[in-house]
């Protein structure tokens, strides 16, 4: 079999997020986050699971870094819990929260593992949510103040920052699911996503002016390449709609300092929403250094009748109720389509002037039921990752500036509304005993890292 090798400076890693692994939800002065509220409300998370303990990483981070070392992981992407640093979201700083991340970052560096920090992975301080959360424009300053504290405290050692993880999810999806915030409000979702972009730009500005500004800073978007299900004119129109709302609405502001005209027209018409000229200037004056992409699957939109071509909800409903007969699906119900990673990378490269890109997440939820000699035989995960790595390699060969790749996830963890039912880890978690063990994919991934290829 042909061997493939990645560029010498390619950054391999694994990713996690604070609420999904840390536990210690109310310890050492941490404030409550919206995910504490959501998971503590009856009937929202599968099996009534909560992140109260999760992987107990807060107390076991040294053990986890030792496991990363065993895995020979060059980089580790994790997020900082805003309510550990500012229990009320703003104002008073909690020193014990800072100490936890000082300890983690030092432990990583002592083991030659590059820390890659996400500043916000969905766990908003509840106190800020009570004040309107991302809907309230004042959050632009609340977030920038929080980011400044992170730069001042950790900037001497952290050289890779991302402001946000998956705005599409924590703005529009949370605001329209009816589950997260007990209401459906599309207008608020759009407004929130614009505030996120402004907070991102202001944070970049703060980073450039901060004492330790010799690293790079970006944003992570969840993107999916869109293929019309059939070649009919209407399905192609539906594909453009999906791409505009799920991809371009997020890509354009951070890479072109603009928004898709079609969406702006819709927002003005339906909700009387307009973007201020000064906000475009803010976005334009503060470009980021790299784009993080979380990629898991693709979209295959289709419509039942021509009047659905602009109806995102109808198209999404169609897609979710129809499986692609020729494809395999993960435990999450996501179609496996590695070629979509290649197509997505080339498209972003071509349409957005060759940005530097990192795959900040890619991975697969598997059943993980085949265990031999204590090792989960997750050949399906290995195949998934291997096929996606090959697609990434092919994109690099076409000139895409892809600089690194982070597998989701280091270890099984709290998968949001699915609780612990979904397992994405390279390491198996026994949640009763808190014992972690390497799956077959972890050994395989170590080999990829050692060879810098497959
Ligand atoms: C995206 C999110 O960033 C992460 O938190 C989640 O667990 C994975 N995808 C898998 O769904």
């Amino acid at each position: 079999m042909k061997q493939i090798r990645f560029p010498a400076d390619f950054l391999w890693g694994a990713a996690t997020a604070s609420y999904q692994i840390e536990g210690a939800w109310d310890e050492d002065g941490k404030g409550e986050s919206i995910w504490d509220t959501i998971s503590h409300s009856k009937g929202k998370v599968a099996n009534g699971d909560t992140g109260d303990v999760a992987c107990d990483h807060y107390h076991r981070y040294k053990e986890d870094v030792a496991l990363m070392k065993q895995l020979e992981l060059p980089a580790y992407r994790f997020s900082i819990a805003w309510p550990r640093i500012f229990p009320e979201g703003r104002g008073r700083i909690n020193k014990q929260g800072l100490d936890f991340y000082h300890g983690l970052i030092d432990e990583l560096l002592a083991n030659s593992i590059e820390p890659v920090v996400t500043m916000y992975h969905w766990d908003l301080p509840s106190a800020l949510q009570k004040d309107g959360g991302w809907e309230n424009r004042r959050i632009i300053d609340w977030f920038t103040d929080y980011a400044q504290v992170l730069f001042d405290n950790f900037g001497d050692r952290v050289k890779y920052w991302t402001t946000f993880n998956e705005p599409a999810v924590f703005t529009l999806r949370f605001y329209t699911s009816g589950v997260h915030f007990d209401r459906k409000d599309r207008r608020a979702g759009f407004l929130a996503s614009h505030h996120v972009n402004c907070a991102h730009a202001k944070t970049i500005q703060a980073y450039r002016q901060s004492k330790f500004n010799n690293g790079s800073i970006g944003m992570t978007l969840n993107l999916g390449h869109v293929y019309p299900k059939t070649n009919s004119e209407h399905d192609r129109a539906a594909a453009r709609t999906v791409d505009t709302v799920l991809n371009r609405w997020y890509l354009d502001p951070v890479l072109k300092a603009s928004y898709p005209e079609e969406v702006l027209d819709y927002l003005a018409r339906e909700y009387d929403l307009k973007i201020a000229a000064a906000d475009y200037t803010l976005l334009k004056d503060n470009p980021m250094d790299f784009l993080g992409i979380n990629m898991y699957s693709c979209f295959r939109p289709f419509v039942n009748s021509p009047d659905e071509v602009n109806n995102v909800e109808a198209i999404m409903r169609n897609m979710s109720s129809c499986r692609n007969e020729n494809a395999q699906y993960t435990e999450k119900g996501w179609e496996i389509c590695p070629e979509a990673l290649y197509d997505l990378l080339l498209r972003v490269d071509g349409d957005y002037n060759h940005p530097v890109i990192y795959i900040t997440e890619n991975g697969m939820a598997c059943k993980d039921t085949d265990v031999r000699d204590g090792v989960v035989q997750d050949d399906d995960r290995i195949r998934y990752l291997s096929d996606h790595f090959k697609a990434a390699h092919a994109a690099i060969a076409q000139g895409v500036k892809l600089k690194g790749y982070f597998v989701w996830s280091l270890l099984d963890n709290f998968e949001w509304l699915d609780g612990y039912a979904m397992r994405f880890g390279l390491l198996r978690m026994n949640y009763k005993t808190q014992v972690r063990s390497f799956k077959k994919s972890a050994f395989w991934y170590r080999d990829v890292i050692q060879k810098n290829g497959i």
Side-chain angles (χ1 to χ4, degrees), residues 23-200:
W25 76 281
D26 63 349
E27 276 182 56
D28 292 344
K30 175 181 165 289
E32 199 179 301
S33 86
I34 54 171
W35 274 92
D36 295 313
T37 316
I38 294 170
S39 72
H40 293 164
S41 326
K42 269 216 163 61
K44 292 204 169 174
V45 177
N47 305 312
D49 289 340
T50 74
D52 291 2
V53 178
C55 307
D56 197 28
H57 172 77
Y58 187 78
H59 298 113
R60 295 168 196 260
Y61 74 88
K62 288 194 176 166
E63 181 191 339
D64 287 338
V65 175
L67 290 165
M68 294 178 213
K69 177 84 180 166
Q70 257 176 276
L71 199 55
E72 300 182 27
L73 213 61
Y76 173 53
R77 172 180 180 252
F78 62 96
S79 76
I80 292 182
W82 186 347
R84 278 199 201 284
I85 311 296
F86 285 97
E88 292 88 28
R90 59 193 146 141
R92 182 177 63 89
I93 294 178
N94 176 36
K95 185 174 171 303
Q96 285 166 294
L98 288 172
D99 287 346
F100 168 67
Y101 295 106
H102 277 302
L104 173 60
I105 291 164
D106 287 345
E107 191 70 15
L108 288 166
L109 291 172
N111 286 281
S112 309
I113 300 167
E114 187 74 49
V116 177
V117 171
T118 306
M119 299 182 207
Y120 184 81
H121 200 125
W122 309 356
D123 40 0
L124 186 73
S126 297
L128 298 186
Q129 184 67 27
K130 287 191 191 99
D131 283 344
W134 290 105
E135 271 172 85
N136 183 344
R137 205 180 154 90
R138 289 177 63 205
I139 201 166
I140 300 170
D141 289 331
W142 300 336
F143 184 81
T144 316
D145 291 347
Y146 157 65
Q148 186 68 56
V149 170
L150 302 190
F151 297 146
D152 292 345
N153 278 274
F154 309 127
D156 56 339
R157 287 153 294 154
V158 172
K159 298 299 160 202
Y160 294 88
W161 298 95
T162 56
T163 50
F164 295 102
N165 178 72
E166 302 197 352
V169 176
F170 74 82
T171 60
L172 267 156
R173 188 170 326 151
F174 284 11
Y175 276 102
T176 55
S177 74
V179 177
H180 300 83
F181 299 151
D182 296 317
R183 63 192 254 250
K184 294 187 182 191
D185 189 338
R186 192 175 298 276
R187 183 185 195 277
F190 275 108
L191 194 60
S193 70
H194 176 58
H195 293 155
V196 167
N197 292 325
C198 293
H200 166 78

Side-chain angles (χ1 to χ4, degrees), residues 407-426:
V407 172
W408 185 270
S409 177
L410 175 70
L411 68 175
D412 295 337
N413 59 47
F414 178 84
E415 177 60 11
W416 308 111
L417 297 180
D418 288 327
Y420 298 102
M422 293 293 155
R423 292 180 177 271
F424 276 92
L426 295 163

Side-chain angles (χ1 to χ4, degrees), residues 291-305:
L291 170 70
I293 297 181
N294 292 355
M295 184 277 180
Y296 289 89
S297 188
C298 57
F299 300 109
R300 298 193 192 276
F302 67 97
V303 289
N304 296 310
S305 63

Side-chain angles (χ1 to χ4, degrees), residues 275-435:
I275 308 291
D279 290 353
Y280 286 114
T281 310
L282 180 69
L283 293 173
K284 188 161 172 292
D285 289 349
N286 296 287
M288 60 185 182
D289 299 313
F290 66 88
L291 170 70
I293 297 181
N294 292 355
M295 184 277 180
Y296 289 89
S297 188
C298 57
F299 300 109
R300 298 193 192 276
F302 67 97
V303 289
N304 296 310
S305 63
D307 55 303
E308 279 181 352
V309 296
N310 290 316
N311 184 339
V312 182
E313 265 174 10
I315 302 170
M316 301 296 280
R317 243 193 334 268
N318 295 344
M319 284 198 286
S320 62
S321 64
C322 177
R323 281 166 84 96
N324 175 1
E325 296 299 321
N326 306 315
Q328 290 188 315
Y329 284 76
T330 72
E331 279 300 288
K332 281 283 273 192
W334 297 341
E335 182 184 329
I336 300 176
C337 44
E339 64 280 8
L341 179 58
Y342 175 85
D343 290 336
L344 176 70
L345 286 170
L346 264 86
R347 180 273 170 102
V348 172
D349 181 74
D351 285 1
Y352 294 91
N353 199 18
H354 312 295
V356 169
I357 301 174
Y358 289 84
I359 300 297
T360 37
E361 284 182 30
N362 172 246
M364 179 183 180
C366 300
K367 277 208 169 64
D368 285 353
T369 42
D370 182 6
V371 185
R372 273 174 252 165
D373 299 325
V375 179
V376 175
Q377 305 294 306
D378 53 345
D379 295 276
D380 36 4
R381 181 173 287 112
I382 294 174
R383 197 172 320 113
Y384 178 97
L385 289 173
S386 173
D387 289 346
H388 284 80
F389 291 175
K390 286 178 197 159
H393 186 269
I396 295 171
Q398 292 300 315
V400 174
K401 290 196 235 158
L402 180 66
K403 300 291 180 193
Y405 206 117
F406 292 76
V407 172
W408 185 270
S409 177
L410 175 70
L411 68 175
D412 295 337
N413 59 47
F414 178 84
E415 177 60 11
W416 308 111
L417 297 180
D418 288 327
Y420 298 102
M422 293 293 155
R423 292 180 177 271
F424 276 92
L426 295 163
L427 271 68
R428 167 94 183 171
M429 271 298 301
N430 179 326
Y431 292 107
K432 283 205 187 83
T433 61
Q434 289 291 342
V435 169

